[in-house]
Amino acid sequence: MQGTFLMTSVVRRLENVYLQRQLGSISDESWESREALFDMALTPGYAYFIETTTASFIGEEFLKFMAQIGSD
């Protein structure tokens, strides 16, 4: 249960950074300093979280972005 809450918190925070980037309210430097965090999409823990959690609280556009990272 704690792991789920932790992963939810991290995913929501990353989604927020992603949305700020989409809106143009985050600088290139800020984006680049956080970009490596999105590699979380490559981990088995993230894949398990997405497969087993109702991800309705995560935006579809962000999920597609993360899926693209996971497939690269």
Side-chain angles (χ1 to χ4, degrees), residues 27-71:
S27 69
D28 290 340
E29 294 82 20
S30 292
W31 174 255
E32 290 168 6
S33 71
R34 292 169 175 85
E35 204 168 17
L37 298 173
F38 291 99
D39 286 346
M40 180 182 71
L42 305 173
T43 66
Y46 175 79
Y48 179 79
F49 173 76
I50 292 300
E51 290 173 10
T52 61
T53 303
T54 304
S56 60
F57 62 89
I58 303 171
E60 188 66 33
E61 187 177 330
F62 178 70
L63 287 174
K64 288 178 185 176
F65 171 74
M66 294 294 279
Q68 179 183 354
I69 292 170
S71 68

Side-chain angles (χ1 to χ4, degrees), residues 5-23:
F5 289 139
L6 176 62
M7 185 64 84
T8 300
S9 174
V10 171
V11 169
R12 292 295 292 168
R13 178 161 284 206
L14 290 176
E15 182 180 24
N16 183 278
V17 170
Y18 170 79
L19 292 173
Q20 287 182 50
R21 178 67 174 176
Q22 297 302 103
L23 294 171

